[in-house]
Amino acid sequence: MFEKTLTDVVKGIRASKRNTALYISQCIAEIKTEINSTDLFTKANALQKLTFLQMMGYNMSWASFATIETMSSPRFGHKRIGYLAASQGFNQNTDVILLTTNTLKKELRGAVGGGMSGVYEAGLAINCLSNIVTEDLARELLPDLTNLTSHPQPYLRKKALLCLFKLFVKYPQGLRLTFSRVQQCLDDTHPSVISCAVNVITELSDKNPRNYLHLAPAFFQLLTTSSNNWMLIKVVKLLGSLVPEEPRLARKLLDPLATIVRNTQAKSLLYEAVYTITLSLPYARKADGSMPASMPSIVALCAETLKTFVEEQDQNLKYLGLVGFGSLMVSHPKVLSSPDYRPLVLACLSDEDVTIRTRALDLLTGMTTRKNLRELVTQLLRHVDLATGEYKSDLVAKIIEMCSGEKYALLVDFEWYLDVLITLAYSQGIEQHGDLISGQIVDVALRVLPVRAYAVRRMADVLLDGTGRKKQKGLLEKEEDIMMDGTTRGECVMPEILPGAAWIVGEYSHLIETDSEIQYDVMSRGTYHSIIQAVMAPSNVDNILTSTQSVYVQCGMKVLAAASNAGKKCSDVELEACAETLTKSLPVFMQSVDVEVQERAFTSYHLLTSLGIIKASSLDGDNAFAPGLTPLDKEEEDESSEEESEEENAEGDLLDLVGSRPPASSNIKKTKKPSSSPATINSDLNLIAGGTLASRCRDVSKTLQYLLTPDPMKPVSAKAQRKKRLSPPTSLKLDLDAPINMSIFSSLLADERAQFGIGGGKLSIEAVSFTQQRPMRPADPTPVDTSFILSDSASTPNSGLVNNSNASQSFQHSGMTPQQRPQNQNQHDPFYLNSASPAMVEGTAFGSDPVQQSQTGQQPSSRFGTIQLVDGDDSDDDTHGRHKKKKKKHKKDKKQRKKDDIGLSFGDADFAALSGATEKAKSIPHATAALADLTVYSSEDDGDNDDNLLSMKPSAASKRGARSNEFKGLAKVDLTTPLRDDEVMPRNEHRVVPEKTVEEEESLGEEHGKKKKKKRKKEKKEKKKNGKKEEIETASIPSTATGDLLDFGGILSDGGAPTSSAAPTATPAPAAHPINSAFDDLLGLTAELAPTLPLAQPEEGIQGFTPIESPATKPLSSKKVGKSRVWQRGTIKASHAKQVSVSGGGRSFDWGNVSLEYRTQHAKAKGGGVGSALVILRVVNNTPDTALQNISVLLNGMDDPISLGDRVNAGSAVESNGKIGPFSYSASSPSLEIKGSLRLSGWSVPIKLTLPATMRLNPVAGLSLDAVMGELSANRWESHSAKVEVTSGLETAKAKSVLGSFLRAEEVDGGSSAHGTFASQTNAGTQVRVLIKVKESAGVANTVKVDIKCTDGQLCKSLISDVKKIIL
Amino acid sequence: MIFWCVCVCLHYKRLCSFENRNKQGQTRLSSYYEWLNMDERVALESEIIRKCLSRSELQCSFVEYRGFKVIYRRYASLFFIVGTKADVIAGGGAENNENELGLLEFIHTLVETMDKWAGSICELDIMYQLEQVHFLLDEMVMNGYVLDTNKSNILRPLDLIERESKKGDGVFR
């Protein structure tokens, strides 16, 4: 009696400003006790307060039950509170929603009868229902709600109509059932009802326009006659959504819409009309390609209207005008390029409102032309300086997009573009675009030859700047030009730019201009030196990313190479200074924490040492190496990261000896390694004594040049790269045939000669370069260490080598045979095997050992093979199950590729970007590999929910992403087909127990013993039958393809498999049994092909479905006479494929091209229990050209592998020689999984067969369609559905019967050729009803949709997954 | 489709030492046409309100936020905020959005209807007669779609409902 009312609470909250939370928590505590009161007044009052608090953000889910209680109160006042609380407070997690069903139903029915009684209650209920509806509620209440759409009160009609839409969303099936009602409401007398109907149809049409095309004339009528703007907006929207489905409508629409545009006063309608015109324009093209005559004037009208919008003072209209322009640009991209619009849009760019700015920015792409690009970008750059936050990075992205779009189509002046990019690189706040900018710079430098020199100059600036040097005044004039405001330039450049800059400077170091005045510091002797100083500054180790450092090291070396090669441009002093800087700095980098940097620095250092550029004196002191880290320790690290270095070689500093990559990279190593051996160092020292460091540098410049910058890099498209990868053997072969360029070794040979003091004759190249590798690669570092020290102290080199006893000595003899060496290395050296296979090829070139050559040659191919497997996705068979997934993947793939090639080619179409980042290129195969794995893993049961029309699950609507899914079911509903007989309004009835048949009653009445007896009898017969069958089988081996006739298989559909081309044997047709009807079609086929074949008569008393095949019917040429049957697809786990022997050729497989198929035959289990099955396997080779060899299958639980054949040519198939099995089904799960492995061509891959649950089914006879409908409407069926695509061109009727027989079900009469109802049951009595619907085109089946309804959920699921595996 | 509809009352909060005024909004009415969890609602509301309040009157009434297109309109101290589906990229074809101007007009109709119902609508009207306001809104929007825009069509049932619920609501129950 004295509880607080809602007003009290509101007052209380307002009064307690200080401590509102405390007050509210007190209130909630009170509510919690009040709500449990038995007095409905108290309860309702409490709920009312709670609803208010809920609005303020307090949870009320605990009061759900009280809400329902209040809802069902007889008093309207309480009801109202309850319904409001329910529509506000319930969400998808509220489990008591189902309890509202009856209350709601009562209210909905209460209003039926005319008058005003119950109308408002029903209104409340509808309102509430629209907020809380779930799938179950929708199904239950759909009939009642539909009735209300013809209620005398328009108040209820309109509400019910709108609510129906929500019901359709949750229960798409309902749309088909009740759409006619919605359509009728279009002719309603009451305007708001019509408006609601339009609203609903508009929304529906948004999801699937095709269904509503036939309504277009009606709406067209509305469009031209109605004056209700609200509705007109919707009508215009609706017609707009129909346009993509019916292009003719687009042309028809243009004029009336234009009329609206010209006449209407309402801005909203005006905008809607313009917007819809812009949407329809792309479709307005006539079939012959011409445009309607009115087109230009309409486009002009739109543009003019939108322009007035943008010019408006009202920001809202301005915004919408910009949106409209964006839409108009889709069909007329150039509409904005006229100079009238430019100032307009540019003015919007400086608008105060970021929403407007962003929209205006989007329009810029359409405005750019070759002529105004520069001007626009210059203006944008000004905005970049002023902008902040996300808008700023949007701007930058836009600038780059405008310039680089369509392969730099609009760009004329690349030098200017470089300037722009560099300017951006110095801006703050756009860090996320660093990589993009860097990529663009590299891309431009790579592609555009004329600007390379300029790029090098600018990048040198950046490098000097980036390492903290103060800018020299006056040097960067041009840059200052671009910088609108010199002061905004940040002190430091974006770190992401630096690697790109270093790469450009290094790679094109021959373009470095020496006359520029840039200097690193006072010690600098010239440009080359400055750059080297900048990149090799010891402070870099701390300041710069390690990934950048590794590029820096390479850059320093390349610049040195260029300097040594520069002739007069580089003075001796400068050259020496360069070398000295490197000498000093490299050891610093050799101590980097990053292995990559360490390794590059180390390699470089030793290269210089071996070439004599780094003097021996620097080796004397310990300072050359990290304290405590002996040089050989280092070397060891070097070795271990060999794999890395190979990749790195592919990146930039690639020495292209003979035109192919892998051998080239090996050469680098070979020349480096031996030269760093003690012997050569000594000899170098001798030489150096003669000349100055500078002249020494110049002497070796050729070598340096050759090693570091052999040829300018070229952009390589991803496609070209793939080609290279795919055909490594050919390229290798070419290399082997080509004469080897020996000149590179000449200097080393000279060293060697000097070393041994002999004349040239005896030494071979092998002796120099390869035999001494071993000492540098010790198992135990200590002895090698001594050898190093010994050689250091100028003892004879031989003694050093001899001391090195642990290393395999045979390698040290220069006289060793080349054949021996690689073998030994293969055996003993783990590194060699793993990483250096290309080097092996090179090695064997000397030894000319063909066997080894071929073996090592496989190494790369198998490595690439894994990539090939992945790349096959665009060529292999898109079989139906994976179809969708593949497509998706393809898209993804494409997207990724797109992302990678920002720039694409300059000039020619096939050139794609290599933005200096091979990592990226590498990541693509990895990514796709992962995807490929994914496909294989999930190919089994994916898309379970996809096509499941009958069992739409309520989607989680709370997440944004889920929203589109919410309408997925709705979009699938097809209204164009007429209602089927089985599509009826869901009725709620008590389950009617089907009348027992006489037989059943009898058997029930009988004693158990008798039953058993019967059973035993049956078993006996079965045994007999089985025995017979086995006999037959043994007799007819190897005539396997004939198959037994126990299984009513479908029609074999593999056109590509000659071994089993289907000429059907006799199909047993038990004449007395009704199952025959299902096979009539089948027989029709067989009769056509082999009309004379006799039909077997079934034995009496057997279940009717498992007739015995009589030996007489079996033709002798059984191999040819394949039994028509349905194949199913087995799962191949390609990701787990492994090579078990190389004998089969060693090429990897695209497993997508190999498919394993099986079919199952029914066999009675011996125990009469759950049944068992026999399996026939076949392997189909879908590869374009490769034959598969030595195919065998080992199934788990079997001792010996089953051989399928020695060889399958491309495009054909091989079948197992005899039935495998029987496999017994277990009682626990309906289907039976058999795992095993498939071997072919030396590969082994895990496989899985799922023997179908259909083996448990037996047809049910004598059902009528009505009976089935009756059963189904009794609501106790689990239902699932699937779609099977038919690829073999099966006729419609046959497709149906094949599926029916696969499911071992009998057709209930009454179906047409395109659809039918089938019935079957398991021995245990679980009922299965199947609805098969064949979609056809020209009499040939396209897809078959199978709806399975089953009284057992598990069985239903496994049946549906069986169906999905079918190959038709 | 309208996903939610929020009415916010604007307050100026004076910070103690500084003279600047800090805008703050408090939800006075909220209605959701899709299921959101409580904490999601609270977070969404507070963010949207902050976003809307931070905009000046010179800026347009559309904010794109978290995949919603937020359309708001200010009447003195009351903000009416409507959330609807964001634009699909132009040219997306059959995707229907609510007409932005239409929604602005809808908000205006809503306010006019409220005005007609309560004389001149103010914060307190909404606070103390929240239920009725809810019903008023329910008469105009259902399930995210505009149900009716005719003021008399909206207000007549509202009166009847009110009378109906008072029936038998005597002093002694």
Side-chain angles (χ1 to χ4, degrees), chain B residues 24-164:
Chain B
Q24 242 200 358
Q26 230 165 12
T27 313
R28 287 290 166 240
L29 168 75
S30 70
S31 194
Y32 289 79
Y33 302 106
E34 63 158 5
W35 280 342
L36 280 178
N37 289 333
M38 218 44 229
D39 38 353
E40 281 178 299
R41 282 189 194 190
V42 174
L44 184 84
E45 266 176 40
S46 67
E47 274 183 73
I48 296 277
I49 290 170
R50 214 179 44 235
K51 248 192 146 94
C52 290
L53 294 190
S54 68
R55 293 173 70 86
S56 76
E57 271 158 78
L58 282 176
Q59 290 174 313
C60 70
S61 310
F62 314 117
V63 188
E64 277 159 59
Y65 166 78
R66 274 219 245 163
F68 289 113
K69 178 170 274 184
V70 179
I71 294 159
Y72 68 93
R73 201 157 176 166
R74 183 181 168 176
Y75 292 89
S77 67
L78 282 179
F79 269 83
F80 288 85
I81 306 173
V82 167
T84 178
K85 190 165 58 176
D87 265 347
V88 213
I89 311 113
E95 282 287 345
N96 263 327
N97 302 312
E98 287 293 327
N99 185 312
E100 293 89 344
L101 288 177
L103 281 185
L104 275 181
E105 280 171 36
F106 165 75
I107 292 177
H108 191 69
T109 322
L110 174 68
V111 175
E112 275 182 7
T113 318
M114 283 182 170
D115 260 351
K116 200 173 171 191
W117 166 71
S120 171
I121 191 82
C122 72
E123 186 192 352
L124 291 181
D125 290 325
I126 301 180
M127 278 184 87
Y128 286 111
Q129 305 174 65
L130 181 67
E131 275 201 308
Q132 275 86 319
V133 179
H134 263 300
F135 291 126
L136 191 148
L137 191 60
D138 285 347
E139 290 299 320
M140 293 187 70
V141 190
M142 199 177 80
N143 158 31
Y145 298 99
V146 177
L147 186 65
D148 209 328
T149 48
N150 185 326
K151 274 169 225 145
S152 59
N153 272 357
I154 297 163
L155 292 179
R156 202 180 329 114
L158 207 65
D159 285 347
L160 290 172
I161 287 175
E162 195 55 36
R163 223 176 295 157
E164 179 89 7

Side-chain angles (χ1 to χ4, degrees), chain A residues 1211-1232:
Chain A
S1212 61
V1214 67
E1215 233 172 88
S1216 64
N1217 202 11
K1219 277 160 284 221
I1220 308 162
F1223 298 96
S1224 299
Y1225 284 71
S1226 73
S1228 56
S1229 96
S1231 51
L1232 174 63

Side-chain angles (χ1 to χ4, degrees), chain A residues 807-1070:
Chain A
S808 75
Q809 288 190 348
S810 66
F811 295 163
Q812 295 159 19
H813 299 300
S814 55
M816 75 162 240
T817 54
Q819 284 96 332
Q820 245 176 328
R821 183 187 40 79
Q823 265 173 6
N824 285 347
Q825 278 178 337
N826 263 347
Q827 284 160 10
H828 301 308
D829 193 344
F831 298 120
Y832 217 87
L833 259 183
N834 288 340
S835 60
S837 54
M840 282 302 296
V841 177
E842 191 67 30
T844 45
F846 295 112
S848 64
D849 182 346
V851 179
Q852 242 166 32
Q853 200 173 313
S854 69
Q855 267 187 11
T856 47
Q858 280 161 21
Q859 207 85 30
S861 78
S862 69
R863 241 191 17 227
F864 294 125
T866 53
I867 299 168
Q868 187 186 15
L869 166 82
V870 155
D871 274 341
D873 63 62
D874 17 29
S875 63
D876 60 3
D877 57 328
D878 273 4
T879 38
H880 17 272
R882 301 181 190 170
H883 205 81
K884 264 189 198 156
K885 205 133 202 171
K886 282 248 165 77
K887 247 189 199 162
K888 239 185 244 165
K889 191 175 69 175
H890 203 73
K891 241 188 222 163
K892 234 179 192 172
D893 215 345
K894 253 189 190 163
K895 233 189 238 163
Q896 174 128 12
R897 232 169 269 157
K898 231 189 217 163
K899 226 190 268 168
D900 277 330
D901 311 346
I902 307 154
L904 291 173
S905 82
F906 179 68
D908 243 336
D910 243 6
F911 271 64
L914 168 119
S915 319
T918 1
E919 279 95 325
K920 260 188 198 167
K922 270 174 204 144
S923 74
I924 300 172
H926 286 314
T928 39
L931 280 170
D933 289 352
L934 209 79
T935 358
V936 178
Y937 278 131
S938 53
S939 66
E940 211 184 341
D941 260 339
D942 53 352
D944 234 357
N945 290 330
D946 275 3
D947 306 317
N948 215 340
L949 201 134
L950 291 176
S951 67
M952 274 299 296
K953 294 198 176 69
S955 45
S958 68
K959 297 276 173 286
R960 281 287 313 164
R963 191 169 296 131
S964 52
N965 289 339
E966 199 180 344
F967 300 118
K968 225 169 161 185
L970 207 49
K972 286 210 179 101
V973 176
D974 183 11
L975 286 177
T976 48
T977 53
L979 279 178
R980 295 189 307 264
D981 298 335
D982 60 317
E983 282 183 305
V984 285
M985 219 28 135
R987 270 176 302 167
N988 244 4
E989 310 173 326
H990 293 288
R991 183 184 152 188
V992 184
V993 181
E995 273 180 47
K996 285 171 196 147
T997 59
V998 186
E999 205 183 334
E1000 265 173 340
E1001 237 153 357
E1002 254 175 40
S1003 66
L1004 275 175
E1006 269 170 12
E1007 280 175 17
H1008 272 277
K1010 217 171 185 180
K1011 234 181 175 178
K1012 269 185 191 162
K1013 221 174 172 181
K1014 233 184 181 174
K1015 221 179 185 179
R1016 233 175 284 142
K1017 224 175 170 180
K1018 239 182 202 169
E1019 273 168 26
K1020 236 183 193 170
K1021 266 183 188 164
E1022 235 126 80
K1023 245 183 201 166
K1024 218 165 128 193
K1025 191 182 64 188
N1026 274 348
K1028 233 183 194 173
K1029 200 183 70 195
E1030 270 160 29
E1031 252 176 58
I1032 294 160
E1033 265 174 31
T1034 40
S1036 65
I1037 283 176
S1039 59
T1040 60
T1042 58
D1044 68 355
L1045 299 174
L1046 291 176
D1047 191 358
F1048 286 79
I1051 288 163
L1052 194 65
S1053 60
D1054 52 336
T1059 49
S1060 51
S1061 63
T1065 52
T1067 309

Side-chain angles (χ1 to χ4, degrees), chain A residues 75 158 206 237 315-316 319, chain B residues 58 61 64 94 97 148 168:
Chain A
R75 287 182 89 93
K158 66 180 183 192
D206 186 27
K237 266 189 193 301
Q315 295 280 11
N316 297 333
Y319 168 84
Chain B
L58 282 176
S61 310
E64 277 159 59
N97 302 312
D148 209 328

